[in-house]
Amino acid sequence: MPMIDQSAGKTGGAPEGVRPRDRLALLTADNAAVPLPAGVQAITAILLAGLLIALPWLGLGYRFLSIAITTLYTAIGLYGLGLQFGQAGIMSVGHAALMGVGAYASAILSVQLGLGFWTSLPFAMALSAIVGGVIGLPTLRVGGQHYIIITFCFCALFVIVLTNGGTFTGSATGLDVGSVTPLPGINFDKLSNNYYLVLAALFLALAATYLIGISRYGRTLRAIRENEQLARSVGINVDLHKLGVLMVSGLFAGLAGVLQLYYLRHISPTLFGAFPSLYLALMVMLGGARYLYGPLIGAIIVNFLPEVLNLEPVDARIAYGICLLLVILLLPGGVGAGIKNIYLAIRGGLETQGGGSNGRA
Amino acid sequence: RADEELPIGVIAAQSGSFVSAGNTIVGAANLAAQQINDAGGIKVGDKTYKIKLYIRDNRTDVNVTIAAARELVNDIGVKAIWGTETHDFSVSMAKITGPAKVLQFSGNSSLGAVLDDKAVAEDGWLHYTFQSEPQEWQRSGSTAKGVLSLLTPQLKSPPKHSVVFVGNDATGQYLSSHYVKALEAEGQKVDLVQYPPDTTDFSPLLTRIKGMKPDIVHFWYNGDSTLTAFPQALKLGVAPSYFLFGVDPGIYQERSLKADVPVTMSCVPVCWGSSPYPEVKQYFDKYFGLGAAKGPQSSVSLLYYDYFFWYAKALEKVGKIDDPDAVVAELLKSDYKGVVSPVPLVFNKHHQVTFATEVCMVEPNTSDKFKCAVEQPPAAPPPGDNGG
Amino acid sequence: MFRPSPSLQVRHPDLIMDIFVQQLVNSLSVASVTILIGIGITLIFGLAGIVNFAHGEFLMVGGMATWFMVGTGMNFFVALVLAGLLVGALGFAAERCLFRFTLNRPMNGFIMSIGLSVILQHAVIRVFNEFQKSITDPVGLVWTIGGVDIIAMRAIVVAITAVIVAITYFGISRSRYGMALRASVSDRDTAELMGIPVRRYVTGVFIYGSLLAGIGGALMISLFPITPFTGSVIIIRGFAVSLIGGLGNVGGAVVGGLVLGLVDGLSAGYGYPEWTDAYSLVVMILILVLRPQGLLGGTLGPKAS
Amino acid sequence: MNLLAVEHVDTGYGPVSVNRDVSLAVGQNEIVTILGPNGAGKTTLLRSIAGLVKPRRGTVTFEGRNVTALHADEKAALGVVMVPEGRHVFADMSVRENLLLGAYCRQDRDAVEADITLMENYFTILAKKRGAKAGTLSGGQQQMLAIARGLMARPRILLLDEPSLGLSPLLVSELQGIIIDVREKFGAAVLLVEQNAGLALSVAEQGYLMNSGRIVASGGIEQLKLSPVMQELYLGKRARQSS
Amino acid sequence: MAALEVRGLRKQFGGVVALNGIDLDIDTDRVVGIVGPNGSGKTTLFNVVAGVHPATGGTVRWQGQDITNIGAHRIARKRLVRTFQQAMSFPGLTVDENVRIAWEQGRRDDSRWASPGMILDFVGLAPLGRAIAGSLPFGSLRRLGLAVALGVSPELLLLDEPGAGLNDSEAQAFAAVIAQLPPQGIGVCLIDHDMDMMADLCDRLVVLDFGTKIAEGPPGEVLSDPKVREVYLGPDKKAAAS
Ligand SMILES: Nc1ncnc2c1ncn2[C@@H]1O[C@H](COP(=O)(O)OP(=O)(O)OP(=O)(O)O)[C@@H](O)[C@H]1O
Ligand SMILES: Nc1ncnc2c1ncn2[C@@H]1O[C@H](COP(=O)(O)OP(=O)(O)OP(=O)(O)O)[C@@H](O)[C@H]1O
Ligand SMILES: [Mg+2]
Ligand SMILES: [Mg+2]
């Protein structure tokens, strides 16, 4: 006689609830696709915005504020990288060069034509976007690893061109600019005002990233990331969108570059070379490219960790490397993923408990 | 009676790729501060100040440099900052020290490119910035004369054709532009060959230079690269004589380098390995005594060291520590007899000093038989060199 | 492309040929080191999909170890073997403790390898210091053949590389391992189902690749000095070589190394010197764009995630 | 003694659990089938037997030896060979190389060529496409290659996951013969997961019915056909027809 | 004039002639089945029509326009949509998002689907909306493939073995879903090897062998054609045709 288990359902498939012993697995999962409740999102956004706005008044000192500015303009560039890698799946390790295009465009406009921060900004962003698109052309032909090396080469080439660019690029010495043209009543030489300028731009970048993420455009990019062939067959112009997202990423990079230029007020080729680029890739991975706050978190970690560790410099580097390894090993989706997963685990845990007690009752 | 503190900042690379340069600033500052404090401090007005150093590692990162400068200037309120060792960083830093009226002593001579009338004027952005090295045309002239005077007797016929071999970075570009002019002013026919920064295999470029049949090859700027390239050149037999900029006889000796042709070398500013001046020898004994590494850049520390004393002297003269404008004015009109030069140092209107460069020649097939010369810099820039 | 800059023309026609030959010999020896590291990278990258940025550091560690051992009076060639073994062990440890966990996320492996490279660089600085290290030429001979000066050590480097390349090439193409490696690249799970011990292979190529990097480092320091930062410069050439030749293709790495070495050597010898590095970068980009599968063809690599 | 015994196995992916308390047995030379609806966990079970998924609980015993913790490659070396669902041929490699890889674990190198010929007799298209890259084969041709590659290992037990997928009716009926050959000629057992119940029921002796990750019915094929669950799930003509 | 007109279509891969001059007319109010031995060129036909591979010769006209070789995404935008033999999805995204992506691409005012959820309901995937596509079992993945294609609001669907991996009862349920499409103005052209399903579902069958059409007509007629039986069904499959 066949044994028949009548209690079993007729349709298979639906995943079961989370078992407590699998919590750890949950922590390391990639839950970028899981939406958070609107309330949670709103509270996070308000808390974060409030904290960032209040920062200059917390009495943390100029050093802190300076590093915060660096962090924020880096994060703006990272949001571009987050978009192209996190959403569209195109990684680049030449992103600093793209920021450099913006910075140099603005600086050259300032030196040659006397344009200031505000007037040169649109041109610089546009140029970064165009260059982003042009170096993106190989993505239509080659795969991920190839493109990584190509962007790396581009970056090195960019530095060589700048170094040999004569007075036009300022050669290896670089170019100088004045301070940000003041707006009525706001002088950007004051560090906190400079901070707010960069913060405003960061909010723009965040808002843009958020909107893209929830929009049809964002989904289109993710479709390309996940399966190009299928994307084509549902009518997505994959080539156009790939170039498009690299151009959008270029816009972010251009903005970040100009902010960097006017913060440093002196730029030179090495700022935009291979190693800064590598660190950008590192930050975006560390924070979690697919998560709204991932790039910001990545920028914060990389910029502030050496400050926090504050060991003897060589030891600090070693400790920093070890931290990096631990994060990647324990939180493969980045710190952003880790935070989201902790939230999900707590919430999921409550649900499971509720379900369990119901079952017993 | 408790002494007051005079806060002074040091920003230098203690990690990252410029460590070897950065460490010299820190070493010199520590030595100078210790000596000044041990000697009783600085008497300003009726108070005595002890130097308190705030040393910050810039991690060879411009953002950290700026943050450190902000911290030192705004959070701590230092009166002066020593550093950095790089042109870019020093320039960005000057944009913070300038408005805050904090004095800045920077080591790079390529600052000369931006230290013009407008920049150093009372409202200029470099009014408070001083370049610790001489004007580049002076150093180039002094060096070129030294090299030629030492080498000419050694060669079969007087040298006519020089190749200048230099790293293609900011400092290299700036320095070599003056040195080529200086050599031409001495009657040399000069070819300039630039190598990419970070080159380790110099053979292709050296082979190419060999094909140009030069009388002297000048390895100009960046002691580390020079020390990499020079042995390769010897093996390839590139030229009948060489000049190594910034390689100290001490290093030559320590590494037991040996060549079968005459080799000259210079130090910036005075050699620790074979110094003509007893004060310099004393200085380096103490400097190395504090544990500093003996590197090709070690002698640069001397510059940063002297300026501490000069600055202290200016403060005493002004009698106030809170009047940076007066200190600048005092520095510009005073002179100071430091270790670096037998004649007193004075600042020109572009905040630069004048001193000669020491050039030494090692006899072929030895590592320690040196003959040195100190040729005074020319009175005016050579033709085609617009100063700086 | 190699139009000489006007002021730099060789003015002695009799020298032109000699100089040219000398340039070729130079290029070949540097290409050798690049090839050694390229083979390691192409094997690791090809099989495990990990862009192991620390591979350059492995080379640097090999060089530093050689410097240290030679400093204690050891024979260079003994030091070379020991350096290879040491770095091989390092690769083994790295694979077991780190990269094994990121096999399914190559991007994470890449980031982790950057972390590892930071650690190794500074660990070396901690143990020694940040200054460049060099050893005296272990052979110290210069052969002059028909007016061409050939540094003997350079020739030896080329010879050692040739032997290693031959061993690797036959080891891979003559045995079924080569096929198994390619299968593992295209579908790891299914390869395991066929009984291919993919994990052990990954460990194996890690050890072997690292060993080659160690030997490469030893050979490199016999040619010119290295610093703790040398690794990060050489690594990009290594990657370029492995991609240009075709991923997973040992012959490709050799061809890629030769192409890059020649472009490097000739552009330094005959191009505008200040653009020396640019020539090879342009060549790399062109090859990668025009022949993504590499000059000799290879896999397109495991799918990145 | 059973060749393969699965006892109280639980499986899952990350937080999701799939199989629960699954036990089954395959005797020497036996053909056993697992049937069940889409998503029941059949593939996952085969993967855990083959070593691609680690069971969370329970044991897998092969020839009396506990092999639960072994990796797929180690199991393959013991003769537990799986033909995965959805083909998974090595797309960049030639058909011949794919077949050779199937024989990766075999020691009798000389017999391999003979087996390739055998496979080319089973599936004549493979002979024609010998040098072609596997990725350029049609769907059904890839399926044939995947089956042939599995057979090349001369397994002790062959785990077939939906081998009829994408095969033309003509070939499905040939597949029937091949599965029987595996037992007769190779002396191997077969554990067959099939949606084509017609095929499964016509070759298997024992059957298990799986749903929602559990075994819900088991027994000899003739008994199983009569079970109500079976009737419900396989109303299809073919099932009735072959009964 | 038929909605889709294929004339003399040829496709050659190196020396392999996959399609050797195919003529085909398909209307949007029918279910047309394409059958044939493995490797006879069925998938290639879809690939060329849908623009995945360029044609070597011949033309494809859709609603009167020449669409030969104009690119896959353009063809999809003209509402000629295909699914893949090797079930495809956007594996890292949720089932919901998979369908939404397609739905957004094909959305227009008179879309049949007011929301992606309706499509999920239609194919029976509604309970799995939040599951990650990559973790779906094979059968659900095939349904998702159909849902994604439906999302684009097609006028003609090219389905490559939609029934593969489904058991008999599931296949029947699936066939019922497909049968609803032509009355709603969605033509269907499908490839499958399940002759029971094809016979039930199709108004017309086209048989390919070695890249040429060897038979065409109502299922009953075609499946009893001796030539078709010989190359495709095998001798003992007579029953299946009835
Ligand atoms: N990689 C995975 N990650 C998470 N869940 C998975 C994964 N693979 C399968 N599952 C889940 O496991 C369950 C069983 O899937 P499995 O593929 O074993 O079913 P099956 O019985 O083989 O179905 P089918 O007949 O459709 O092939 C399904 O609910 C599926 O969603
Ligand atoms: N990219 C390609 N390169 C070379 N040959 C190919 C390629 N794609 C298909 N072919 C060949 O074209 C022929 C037709 O293949 P196709 O996939 O169209 O068959 P099919 O009718 O769909 O078969 P099945 O029922 O097995 O899916 C086959 O012989 C196949 O090997
Ligand atoms: Mg299955
Ligand atoms: Mg097909």
Side-chain angles (χ1 to χ4, degrees):
Chain A
M1 262 306 285
M3 315 171 307
I4 293 173
D5 180 353
Q6 297 290 351
S7 67
K10 280 178 200 126
T11 50
E16 299 276 317
V18 177
R19 307 189 323 171
R21 54 179 279 204
D22 298 328
R23 284 282 152 67
L24 196 69
L26 205 148
L27 268 190
T28 61
D30 186 358
N31 280 315
V34 180
L36 288 175
V40 176
Q41 289 189 25
I43 292 173
T44 320
I46 290 169
L47 282 181
L48 186 77
L51 180 72
L52 288 175
I53 291 173
L55 206 65
W57 290 325
L58 299 182
L60 294 166
Y62 279 79
R63 182 183 181 100
F64 185 91
L65 203 56
S66 305
I67 293 179
I69 294 177
T70 304
T71 307
L72 295 193
Y73 76 65
T74 312
I76 295 168
L78 288 181
Y79 274 101
L81 194 55
L83 197 64
Q84 70 173 71
F85 178 61
Q87 302 297 313
I90 307 171
M91 185 44 130
S92 150
V93 291
H95 209 62
L98 216 50
M99 285 172 68
V101 170
Y104 263 92
S106 175
I108 289 170
L109 285 173
S110 157
V111 172
Q112 305 282 335
L113 301 178
L115 295 195
F117 175 84
W118 301 102
T119 38
S120 68
L121 184 63
F123 295 105
M125 288 173 68
L127 190 67
S128 287
I130 293 168
V131 173
V134 172
I135 31 173
L137 284 173
T139 50
L140 306 184
R141 276 186 61 89
V142 304
Q145 290 104 338
H146 290 71
Y147 189 63
I148 288 185
I149 303 296
I150 288 176
T151 52
F152 209 95
C153 294
F154 163 74
C155 203
L157 209 50
F158 179 69
V159 170
I160 295 176
V161 170
L162 291 179
T163 307
N164 295 317
T167 47
F168 188 68
T169 64
S171 297
T173 310
L175 294 171
D176 286 275
V177 294
S179 27
V180 180
T181 329
L183 292 179
I186 312 174
N187 176 5
F188 293 102
D189 280 340
K190 203 177 150 203
L191 196 62
S192 58
N193 286 345
N194 200 324
Y195 172 82
Y196 283 123
L197 175 72
V198 181
L199 183 61
L202 176 82
F203 283 153
L204 264 175
L206 258 169
T209 301
Y210 174 74
L211 291 176
I212 289 174
I214 60 165
S215 71
R216 166 179 168 169
Y217 181 55
R219 273 188 288 277
T220 307
L221 297 181
R222 290 196 287 278
I224 293 172
R225 174 187 83 199
E226 293 293 328
N227 190 335
E228 273 186 33
Q229 201 182 6
L230 185 58
R232 281 206 176 87
S233 84
V234 300
I236 294 173
N237 189 340
V238 170
D239 293 355
L240 195 76
H241 273 99
K242 275 181 161 181
L243 293 186
V245 72
L246 291 174
M247 292 185 73
V248 175
S249 167
L251 282 179
F252 283 79
L255 175 61
V258 177
L259 289 168
Q260 177 177 19
L261 166 69
Y262 277 88
Y263 169 65
L264 302 178
R265 294 178 52 196
H266 170 84
I267 49 169
S268 64
T270 44
L271 282 177
F272 307 108
F275 281 87
S277 288
L278 215 54
Y279 270 76
L280 289 178
L282 197 141
M283 286 184 236
V284 86
M285 292 293 298
L286 208 53
R290 295 185 183 179
Y291 296 81
L292 180 60
Y293 300 115
L296 181 60
I297 295 173
I300 292 175
I301 294 177
V302 170
N303 283 291
F304 278 98
L305 194 70
E307 294 286 302
V308 174
L309 293 176
N310 204 16
L311 296 167
E312 195 271 320
V314 172
D315 292 339
R317 288 285 165 131
I318 295 175
Y320 171 62
I322 292 173
C323 289
L324 183 69
L325 295 186
L326 289 180
V327 168
I328 298 288
L329 279 180
L330 299 177
L331 301 172
V335 176
I339 294 175
K340 183 166 183 177
N341 286 339
I342 289 171
Y343 168 79
L344 289 176
I346 293 171
R347 209 189 49 161
L350 290 176
E351 269 174 16
T352 313
Q353 273 173 19
S357 58
N358 280 349
R360 273 192 299 275
Chain B
R1 196 191 60 144
D3 292 323
E4 305 264 339
E5 258 178 17
L6 176 69
I8 287 181
V10 175
I11 300 181
Q14 292 175 279
S15 60
S17 43
F18 297 156
V19 264
S20 52
N23 283 338
T24 62
I25 308 184
V26 178
N30 277 326
L31 180 60
Q34 190 190 18
Q35 289 183 348
I36 289 172
N37 290 346
D38 288 352
I42 308 171
K43 293 184 189 55
V44 182
D46 47 6
K47 289 196 191 132
T48 304
Y49 288 87
K50 289 269 162 88
I51 292 176
K52 170 117 174 79
L53 288 181
Y54 291 86
I55 298 173
R56 294 294 178 264
D57 176 15
N58 70 20
R59 303 187 200 119
T60 316
D61 178 336
V62 65
N63 287 302
V64 181
T65 307
I66 288 190
R70 287 277 180 192
E71 179 196 8
L72 294 178
V73 167
N74 300 105
D75 295 335
I76 293 173
V78 296
K79 302 297 170 202
I81 295 183
W82 264 249
T84 64
E85 63 290 329
T86 348
H87 179 79
D88 298 345
F89 297 4
S90 298
V91 168
S92 283
M93 210 165 90
K95 300 197 168 172
I96 294 165
T97 54
K101 303 193 173 191
V102 169
L103 272 72
Q104 176 180 332
F105 296 89
S106 294
N108 1 80
S109 69
S110 48
L111 268 182
V114 285
L115 285 165
D116 52 23
D117 289 343
K118 195 158 158 279
V120 299
E122 295 233 347
D123 54 351
W125 63 285
L126 293 171
H127 183 61
Y128 300 93
T129 300
F130 290 84
Q131 174 179 317
S132 54
E133 298 187 12
Q135 296 179 80
E136 200 46 48
W137 61 267
Q138 295 183 336
R139 175 162 67 187
S140 289
S142 165
T143 311
K145 282 200 238 168
V147 172
L148 292 172
S149 72
L150 285 167
L151 283 180
T152 307
Q154 302 288 325
L155 296 170
K156 280 184 223 118
S157 58
K160 286 197 204 66
H161 180 203
S162 282
V163 171
V164 175
F165 192 50
V166 66
N168 191 17
D169 59 12
T171 315
Q173 286 178 352
Y174 181 74
L175 268 58
S176 58
S177 68
H178 293 283
Y179 189 59
V180 169
K181 295 282 180 320
L183 283 173
E184 281 169 354
E186 299 293 325
Q188 290 291 299
K189 180 183 176 325
V190 186
D191 281 311
L192 177 70
V193 178
Q194 293 173 307
Y195 58 84
D198 301 326
T199 302
T200 42
D201 180 18
F202 291 92
S203 322
L205 284 170
L206 289 171
T207 305
R208 172 180 188 155
I209 292 172
K210 181 180 180 186
M212 297 155 83
K213 294 239 162 175
D215 299 316
I216 311 174
V217 171
H218 306 252
F219 293 91
W220 183 251
Y221 168 64
N222 193 333
D224 290 326
S225 294
T226 300
L227 284 170
T228 310
F230 175 59
Q232 298 178 25
L234 284 181
K235 272 190 220 158
L236 291 169
V238 172
S241 67
Y242 299 95
F243 165 62
L244 319 175
F245 173 85
V247 170
D248 204 288
I251 288 288
Y252 198 89
Q253 202 170 340
E254 248 188 19
R255 307 223 173 155
S256 347
L257 296 172
K258 221 172 256 173
D260 52 0
V261 291
V263 177
T264 48
M265 59 205 81
S266 75
C267 324
V268 185
V270 189
C271 306
W272 55 264
S274 174
S275 171
Y277 316 123
E279 307 96 300
V280 173
K281 254 190 95 43
Q282 256 175 28
Y283 164 79
F284 282 116
D285 288 344
K286 284 181 208 139
Y287 175 77
F288 293 126
L290 280 184
K294 289 186 173 176
Q297 319 241 25
S298 301
S299 63
V300 180
S301 67
L302 198 50
L303 296 169
Y304 302 103
Y305 172 81
D306 266 352
Y307 291 82
F308 266 86
F309 293 91
W310 196 350
Y311 173 67
K313 188 180 147 201
L315 276 181
E316 289 184 348
K317 193 80 180 284
V318 168
K320 276 187 285 188
I321 65 159
D322 285 324
D323 191 351
D325 289 308
V327 178
V328 169
E330 175 59 29
L331 280 171
L332 286 173
K333 66 173 190 257
S334 67
D335 59 22
Y336 176 72
K337 164 73 182 68
V339 182
V340 66
S341 158
V343 288
L345 299 172
V346 282
F347 278 113
N348 70 6
K349 62 176 180 162
H350 289 159
H351 297 194
Q352 298 161 305
V353 289
T354 296
F355 50 80
T357 308
E358 186 187 356
V359 182
C360 298
M361 188 188 71
V362 63
E363 290 192 3
N365 301 314
T366 70
S367 297
D368 52 359
K369 297 224 165 55
F370 294 101
K371 194 171 133 198
C372 298
V374 181
E375 299 276 348
Q376 287 309 310
D385 189 329
N386 51 6
Chain C
M1 180 164 233
F2 301 118
R3 192 157 47 95
S5 66
S7 74
L8 293 175
Q9 228 114 40
V10 175
R11 275 176 294 256
H12 303 267
D14 53 309
L15 263 177
I16 291 179
M17 200 54 213
D18 291 354
I19 297 283
F20 180 74
V21 173
Q22 200 150 335
Q23 294 291 19
L24 284 185
V25 176
N26 287 343
S27 311
L28 214 56
S29 62
V30 180
S32 297
V33 177
T34 322
I35 286 170
L36 283 184
I37 166 154
I39 290 177
I41 288 174
T42 211
L43 290 178
I44 294 175
F45 191 9
L47 180 66
I50 293 169
V51 179
N52 179 13
F53 204 80
H55 207 79
E57 260 55 59
F58 287 5
L59 173 128
M60 180 273 290
V61 169
M64 290 291 174
T66 309
W67 167 79
F68 179 76
M69 290 185 279
V70 168
T72 65
M74 189 185 285
N75 175 291
F76 170 77
F77 294 95
V78 179
L80 175 124
V81 172
L82 289 181
L85 294 177
L86 173 83
V87 177
L90 189 64
F92 175 68
E95 197 275 333
R96 274 299 154 97
C97 305
L98 302 173
F99 295 112
R100 148 154 311 210
F101 302 102
T102 58
L103 281 181
N104 296 320
R105 284 173 176 254
M107 233 16 236
N108 282 14
F110 171 56
I111 298 300
M112 217 157 59
S113 72
I114 296 178
L116 183 61
S117 93
V118 170
I119 295 176
L120 286 176
Q121 257 177 29
H122 289 85
V124 167
I125 295 178
R126 175 103 327 315
V127 175
F128 303 122
N129 54 40
E130 71 277 10
F131 300 123
Q132 63 175 19
K133 310 272 175 291
S134 59
I135 60 174
T136 48
D137 187 329
V139 184
L141 285 176
V142 178
W143 297 325
T144 308
I145 304 170
V148 182
D149 288 342
I150 295 175
I151 298 168
M153 192 57 215
R154 293 205 168 224
I156 294 174
V157 167
V158 175
I160 292 179
T161 306
V163 170
I164 290 175
V165 165
I167 293 173
T168 314
Y169 187 80
F170 286 107
I172 284 193
S173 66
R174 275 302 203 58
S175 68
R176 53 205 181 108
Y177 298 116
M179 214 163 64
L181 290 187
R182 283 196 288 142
S184 313
V185 177
S186 84
D187 188 334
R188 191 172 302 135
D189 272 1
T190 310
E192 285 195 9
L193 285 179
M194 302 299 107
I196 299 170
V198 179
R199 267 155 225 279
R200 241 187 299 145
Y201 280 4
V202 171
T203 313
V205 293
F206 245 97
I207 295 175
Y208 188 66
S210 309
L211 187 127
L212 295 191
I215 293 177
L219 294 181
M220 192 157 168
I221 202 169
S222 77
L223 298 182
F224 34 79
I226 62 176
T227 76
F229 308 102
T230 299
S232 11
V233 180
I234 195 97
I235 185 73
I236 293 307
R237 323 222 116 223
F239 278 120
V241 161
S242 65
L243 287 175
I244 288 175
L247 273 183
N249 188 328
V250 173
V254 175
V255 172
L258 289 177
V259 168
L260 263 200
L262 283 182
V263 172
D264 268 348
L266 295 180
S267 55
Y270 299 95
Y272 291 93
E274 63 271 33
W275 293 93
T276 297
D277 282 349
Y279 297 102
S280 55
L281 291 169
V282 171
V283 169
M284 283 195 267
I285 293 179
L286 286 182
I287 295 179
L288 291 179
V289 171
L290 299 179
R291 262 191 83 85
Q293 73 278 34
L295 287 176
L296 293 200
T299 68
L300 284 178
K303 290 185 186 62
S305 78
Chain D
M1 186 188 67
N2 286 322
L3 182 66
L4 175 81
V6 173
E7 278 154 0
H8 309 294
V9 159
D10 285 4
T11 59
Y13 301 96
V16 183
S17 73
V18 178
N19 293 111
R20 258 149 313 144
D21 196 27
V22 172
S23 300
L24 62 78
V26 180
Q28 299 278 0
N29 257 350
E30 201 175 25
I31 300 179
V32 175
T33 184
I34 306 175
L35 298 168
N38 164 227
K42 308 179 294 295
T43 297
T44 308
L45 181 64
L46 283 200
R47 286 167 66 86
S48 72
I49 296 172
L52 287 177
V53 175
K54 289 276 145 307
R56 292 179 170 171
R57 199 171 68 89
T59 53
V60 178
T61 316
F62 180 68
E63 291 182 320
R65 172 176 165 199
N66 185 341
V67 295
T68 320
L70 294 191
H71 285 290
D73 51 308
E74 294 159 328
K75 288 192 179 167
L78 292 179
V80 181
V81 171
M82 172 165 167
V83 174
E85 183 178 38
R87 299 156 198 142
H88 292 284
V89 294
F90 300 113
D92 287 338
M93 306 177 76
S94 71
V95 167
R96 189 183 148 77
E97 283 174 317
N98 268 272
L99 292 176
L100 285 174
L101 279 166
Y104 188 79
C105 284
R106 282 171 63 172
Q107 304 304 322
D108 52 340
R109 308 261 99 220
D110 305 340
V112 169
E113 285 302 325
D115 271 3
I116 289 184
T117 315
L118 179 64
M119 295 309 141
E120 291 179 346
N121 282 336
Y122 281 148
F123 305 109
T124 45
I125 186 71
L126 297 184
K128 286 198 203 115
K129 295 266 177 187
R130 203 174 288 163
K133 292 215 161 153
T136 68
L137 299 190
S138 82
Q141 291 166 348
Q142 289 186 22
Q143 184 66 46
M144 296 178 227
L145 177 58
I147 298 169
R149 188 184 55 186
L151 292 177
M152 284 298 296
R154 288 268 172 175
R156 307 275 300 114
I157 180 166
L158 185 65
L159 313 175
L160 285 171
D161 198 353
E162 305 206 19
S164 76
L165 201 81
L167 293 186
S168 73
L170 182 65
L171 274 154
V172 172
S173 57
E174 284 175 14
L175 186 58
Q176 206 166 322
I178 293 171
I179 293 175
I180 294 182
D181 269 7
V182 170
R183 175 182 40 198
E184 308 295 322
K185 289 205 188 139
F186 294 22
V190 177
L191 182 56
L192 172 68
V193 165
E194 250 310 332
Q195 294 293 14
N196 186 335
L199 171 67
L201 298 179
S202 67
V203 295
E205 296 134 2
Q206 289 284 322
Y208 292 84
L209 199 54
M210 185 174 253
N211 200 355
S212 291
R214 294 176 194 275
I215 303 284
V216 293
S218 64
I221 280 300
E222 295 308 319
Q223 286 171 306
L224 201 62
K225 279 180 189 163
L226 300 173
S227 86
V229 185
M230 190 68 194
Q231 296 287 334
E232 197 177 334
L233 286 170
Y234 294 90
L235 298 169
K237 286 170 262 172
R238 232 171 306 164
R240 252 178 287 136
Q241 189 188 310
S242 42
S243 62
Chain E
M1 189 186 71
L4 180 72
E5 293 181 337
V6 175
R7 290 291 173 269
L9 200 61
R10 277 180 60 79
K11 176 68 195 175
Q12 218 166 323
F13 296 103
V16 181
V17 182
L19 295 177
N20 196 359
I22 300 274
D23 294 329
L24 195 62
D25 287 291
I26 297 179
D27 276 310
T28 55
D29 56 353
R30 292 278 145 77
V31 180
V32 176
I34 297 184
V35 298
N38 294 121
S40 56
K42 306 179 294 295
T43 301
T44 307
L45 175 65
F46 276 16
N47 279 337
V48 175
V49 168
V52 175
H53 292 318
T56 313
T59 54
V60 181
R61 296 180 75 79
W62 167 242
Q63 295 173 335
Q65 271 178 307
D66 188 348
I67 58 161
T68 330
N69 303 343
I70 64 166
H73 70 274
R74 287 216 186 80
I75 293 175
R77 292 202 164 274
K78 294 183 189 294
R79 301 182 190 284
L80 174 55
V81 181
R82 58 86 54 92
T83 64
F84 292 89
Q85 179 167 9
Q86 194 94 48
M88 275 204 195
S89 66
F90 302 115
L93 308 180
T94 60
V95 168
D96 230 18
E97 207 169 17
N98 266 268
V99 179
R100 184 174 291 272
I101 285 165
W103 177 75
E104 282 169 342
Q105 294 299 325
R107 184 160 56 175
R108 56 178 174 185
D109 295 340
D110 60 339
S111 275
R112 277 179 19 80
W113 320 101
S115 74
M118 285 177 66
I119 307 174
L120 288 180
D121 271 339
F122 184 76
V123 301
L125 277 180
L128 294 178
R130 284 174 60 112
I132 300 291
S135 70
L136 289 184
F138 213 77
S140 307
L141 204 55
R142 297 224 72 100
R143 271 188 253 213
L144 179 59
L146 175 66
V148 167
L150 284 175
V152 196
S153 285
E155 282 164 25
L156 178 63
L157 261 183
L158 307 177
L159 302 176
D160 199 349
E161 300 197 16
L166 302 186
N167 64 36
D168 293 345
S169 60
E170 287 164 345
Q172 280 187 357
F174 200 74
V177 169
I178 289 174
Q180 290 173 36
L181 295 174
Q184 305 185 30
I186 304 178
V188 176
C189 175
L190 84 164
I191 300 172
D192 211 298
H193 292 296
D194 182 342
M195 284 309 111
D196 300 328
M197 187 176 92
M198 293 296 264
D200 287 351
L201 200 56
C202 298
D203 302 296
R204 189 158 55 99
L205 280 186
V206 175
V207 187
L208 300 188
D209 192 23
F210 289 113
T212 43
K213 189 161 77 179
I214 58 165
E216 181 168 8
E221 208 173 281
V222 166
L223 292 179
S224 49
D225 182 330
K227 204 161 57 178
V228 175
R229 295 227 322 258
E230 187 201 321
V231 301
Y232 183 54
L233 296 174
D236 58 347
K237 277 287 166 180
K238 209 188 291 173
S242 59

